[in-house]
Amino acid sequence: MTIERSNPDGLHATPGYHHVTRVQADTLVYLAGQCPLQPSGELASGGLEGQTAQVITNISTALAAAGATPDQVVRTVIYVASSEQADLGAVWAQLNASPIAAAFTTASTLLGVAQLGFAGQLVEIDVTAAL
């Protein structure tokens, strides 16, 4: 398996992710959008920060179950139920300070959206890894 990440000349500098992720792998792992739900099925408390922490835990658990590590992540899409730039920035900062920070050095998209699937849900992350 080979993962090459790059930022081609002519594109803007990034805050840690790469514009291009080239993958040669035998197996791809697609995680369902990881929500801030605890194992009990209840929404994590603590607002945006608490929910993001639960999503980090859930991603870590799902990657491990698939035999993958954060550095094998090749694509992330981060959804934040907010139109406030500060909220999106806070989620990005928390992800990049987390134990799975390596997952966010790859091709990543960060979106502010109007609503997510569960009542009160503030964050969800799609993850693809290559093995």
Side-chain angles (χ1 to χ4, degrees):
M1 188 261 309
T2 305
I3 300 173
E4 298 173 6
R5 296 175 177 94
S6 64
N7 289 315
D9 291 340
L11 295 177
H12 65 85
T14 70
Y17 66 89
H18 288 86
H19 284 288
V20 178
T21 300
R22 186 173 182 267
V23 179
Q24 187 171 26
D26 292 326
T27 303
L28 292 177
V29 175
Y30 299 91
L31 302 187
Q34 292 301 296
C35 300
L37 298 180
Q38 300 169 345
S40 66
E42 294 180 38
L43 190 65
S45 62
L48 191 55
E49 184 176 345
Q51 288 192 21
T52 302
Q54 185 65 54
V55 170
I56 290 165
T57 297
N58 294 350
I59 290 169
S60 182
T61 299
L63 285 174
T69 61
D71 64 319
Q72 292 173 306
V73 170
V74 296
R75 178 82 173 127
T76 63
V77 181
I78 305 149
Y79 303 93
V80 180
S82 177
S83 61
E84 297 297 321
Q85 177 64 40
D87 290 340
L88 277 69
V91 169
W92 182 253
Q94 187 174 351
L95 294 171
N96 281 283
S98 77
I100 63 166
F104 303 99
T105 65
T106 196
S108 294
T109 299
L110 174 61
L111 301 167
V113 298
Q115 185 172 344
L116 292 166
F118 294 98
Q121 181 182 352
L122 300 173
V123 64
E124 183 167 333
I125 302 178
D126 289 335
V127 176
T128 303
L131 306 179

